[in-house]
């Protein structure tokens, strides 16, 4: 059985890590809009996060593997993230904000992939336990996104930045309670990373991850703005985000049964298909709250099931000494490169084509991921 103390330490980290995401992802674009930035400027600033995921996780993963310092790197990255974001309180202007977010995301991008690699190393094949741990991240997200919705309606977006600083401080504190690195693995049954990447179907799997995050670019950047511009309050924005994450929590609770009943391939296919439908509902049903609720319930599949299956697939394909860098590649190509393209393209599309077309293009990217993965899937 998994020790209760270890479960509590890992769960606490996930809670505060995603509590920060609950403040940043739904509301930071609104904060930037309050400061007077244009849609393109907002897209550029938000795109720094996925851009950093292209190179950051690989850099930190390489350093962690080379120096056997995964835990040390996680702690330093978390502390520096809190210190750097405090500079946002000064409202330094576009170039200053750009520099701060570049530095923040450089360090922030190294935290979760290394922590995920450590969690997977501790759990082995016990993915059900992963769901029980990871769901606390979703709980943290929901608590913050709902509370902030009410707070921002009452006090305005000016309170967002200091709230985020506090959440980053709590996250940094929890990293000091994470388990220390185990002794260096002697498992060398795989060759180089390049050898694994050339295996049949692996490029298609990574391309599917890439397109899935391209599809999520408009959602991560403009969903809250889209809702507010069509007449929904910030409280409604917070509840809609939280509905998605509550559905995700239910998914993580059900994860052991899901993994036993369905193959990774079927889970990923369902994730791509639901993403296409979800973004079409958002594109053309934004005025109807009932349709938005349905779309947000699909978050259980498009993020929860997708992420669990994606992490498990990479853990299965990249073994032994390649595990940390395998998770880094998953983050870099998907959330990094895919998220960057989706975010930047959504900024251009939003200004020139509008919200409905932008989210329709997101659905098209998800369809592309579905077709590619079904043809060349390397996992069953």
């Amino acid at each position: 059985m998994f020790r209760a103390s270890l479960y509590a330490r890992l769960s606490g980290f996930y809670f505060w890590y995603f509590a920060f995401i609950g403040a940043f992802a739904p509301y930071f674009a609104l904060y930037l809009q309050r400061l007077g930035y244009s849609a393109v400027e907002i897209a550029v600033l938000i795109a720094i996060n996925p851009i950093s995921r292209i190179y950051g996780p690989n850099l930190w993963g390489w350093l962690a593997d080379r120096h056997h310092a995964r835990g040390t790197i996680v702690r330093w990255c978390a502390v520096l993230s809190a210190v750097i974001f405090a500079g946002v309180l000064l409202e330094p202007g576009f170039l200053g904000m750009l520099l701060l977010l570049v530095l923040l995301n450089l360090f922030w991008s190294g935290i979760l992939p290394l922590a995920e690699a450590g969690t997977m190393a501790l759990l082995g094949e016990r993915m059900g336990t992963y769901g029980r741990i990871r769901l606390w991240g979703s709980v943290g997200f929901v608590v913050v996104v709902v509370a902030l919705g009410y707070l921002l309606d009452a006090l305005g977006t000016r309170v967002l930045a200091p709230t985020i600083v506090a959440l980053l401080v709590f996250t940094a504190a929890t990293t000091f309670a994470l388990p220390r690195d185990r002794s260096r693995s002697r498992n060398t049954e795989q060759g180089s990373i390049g050898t694994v990447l050339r295996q049949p179907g692996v490029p298609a799997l990574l391309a599917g991850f890439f397109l899935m995050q391209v599809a999520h670019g408009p959602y991560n950047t403009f969903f809250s703005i889209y809702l507010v511009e069509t007449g929904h309050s910030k409280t409604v924005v917070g509840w809609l985000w939280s509905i998605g994450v509550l559905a995700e929590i239910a998914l993580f609770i059900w994860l052991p049964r899901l993994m036993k009943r369905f193959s990774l391939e079927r889970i990923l296919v369902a994730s791509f298909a639901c993403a296409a439908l979800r973004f079409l509902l958002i594109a053309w049903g934004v005025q109807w709250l009932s349709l938005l609720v349905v779309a947000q319930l699909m978050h259980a599949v498009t993020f929860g099931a997708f992420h669990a299956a994606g992490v498990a697939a990479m853990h299965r394909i990249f073994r032994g000494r390649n595990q940390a860098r395998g998770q880094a590649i998953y983050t870099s190509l998907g959330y990094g490169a895919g998220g960057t393209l989706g975010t930047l393209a959504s900024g251009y599309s939003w200004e020139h084509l509008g919200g409905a077309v932008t989210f329709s293009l997101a659905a098209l990217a998800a369809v592309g991921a579905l077709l590619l993965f079904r043809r060349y899937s390397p996992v069953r």
Side-chain angles (χ1 to χ4, degrees):
M1 294 295 292
F2 210 58
R3 296 197 310 274
S5 62
L6 185 56
Y7 172 81
R9 285 183 283 160
L10 291 170
S11 300
F13 163 76
Y14 280 100
F15 179 94
W16 289 110
Y17 180 93
F18 284 97
F20 160 77
I21 301 298
F24 190 90
Y27 299 120
F28 195 65
L30 293 173
Y31 176 79
L32 295 174
Q33 189 180 51
R34 168 187 168 271
L35 296 180
Y37 296 120
S38 69
V40 171
E41 289 173 328
I42 290 171
V44 169
L45 292 172
I46 297 297
I48 294 171
N49 178 270
I51 288 172
S52 69
R53 293 185 179 190
I54 298 174
Y55 59 87
N58 287 301
L59 168 65
W60 301 121
W62 175 78
L63 288 172
D65 286 342
R66 182 176 179 85
H67 299 288
H68 194 52
R70 184 170 56 210
T72 300
I73 291 174
V74 167
R75 289 186 287 275
W76 272 107
C77 285
V79 169
L80 289 172
S81 295
V83 172
I84 291 166
F85 192 86
V88 172
L89 298 173
L90 303 176
E91 298 184 6
F94 178 76
L95 291 179
M97 186 71 74
L98 183 72
L99 176 61
L100 285 172
L101 292 179
V102 166
L103 292 174
L104 167 71
N105 286 287
L106 169 63
F107 292 105
W108 185 255
S109 67
I111 298 173
L112 188 61
L114 296 185
E116 291 271 58
T119 300
M120 294 300 296
L122 288 167
L123 297 179
E125 298 300 322
R126 293 174 292 184
M127 283 299 296
T129 305
Y130 172 81
R132 288 174 52 219
I133 294 169
R134 175 59 181 78
L135 70 84
W136 284 102
S138 303
V139 171
F141 186 101
V142 168
V143 169
V144 169
V145 77
V146 172
L148 267 179
Y150 287 104
L151 187 65
L152 297 181
D153 267 339
L155 302 178
T157 54
R158 66 182 183 275
V159 302
L160 181 65
T163 301
I164 289 177
V165 172
L167 293 172
L168 286 169
V169 170
F170 284 124
T171 303
T174 63
T175 63
F176 288 88
L178 291 176
R180 301 291 174 175
D181 294 334
R182 290 180 169 184
S183 59
R184 187 184 302 272
S185 172
R186 297 180 182 276
N187 191 338
T188 58
E189 74 276 7
Q190 283 193 309
S192 67
I193 286 287
T195 300
V196 182
L197 291 173
R198 289 191 293 270
Q199 291 178 3
V202 172
L205 176 68
L206 297 177
F209 294 158
F210 171 85
L211 288 172
M212 187 64 152
Q213 298 313 315
V214 170
H216 278 76
Y219 177 79
N220 293 331
T221 309
F222 290 108
F223 182 59
S224 296
I225 292 176
Y226 197 29
L227 294 175
V228 171
E229 287 184 351
T230 51
H232 298 290
S233 70
K234 295 183 182 68
T235 299
V236 170
V237 171
W239 274 110
L240 283 171
W241 279 85
S242 68
I243 286 170
V245 183
L246 287 171
E248 174 189 315
I249 292 172
L251 184 283
F252 282 128
I253 293 173
W254 190 53
L255 188 60
R257 297 179 185 177
L258 180 72
M259 290 294 189
K260 288 180 180 179
R261 184 171 181 180
F262 301 104
S263 67
L264 294 179
E265 180 183 33
R266 292 182 67 183
I267 294 172
L268 288 169
V269 165
S271 301
F272 297 138
C274 281
L277 178 57
R278 181 188 184 194
F279 294 134
L280 284 176
L281 288 175
I282 293 173
W284 303 104
V286 67
Q287 294 180 347
W288 291 279
L289 190 58
S290 58
L291 290 182
L292 290 174
V293 169
V294 172
Q296 289 304 89
L297 288 173
M298 291 182 181
H299 187 75
V301 181
T302 63
F303 176 78
F306 170 77
H307 179 69
V311 170
M314 297 301 283
H315 185 69
R316 180 181 297 178
I317 293 170
F318 293 84
R319 302 186 302 275
R321 65 183 181 181
N322 293 324
Q323 285 181 350
R325 278 172 286 180
Q327 296 300 330
I329 290 171
Y330 166 72
T331 299
S332 296
L333 287 180
Y335 296 98
T340 298
L341 178 59
T343 300
L344 293 175
S346 70
Y348 178 86
S349 176
W350 192 267
E351 284 207 340
H352 294 87
L353 302 175
V357 173
T358 298
F359 277 98
S360 297
L361 292 174
L364 185 62
V367 170
L370 171 63
L371 296 176
L372 184 63
F373 180 76
R374 286 203 67 179
R375 182 175 178 86
Y376 298 107
S377 170
V379 294
R380 296 292 184 263

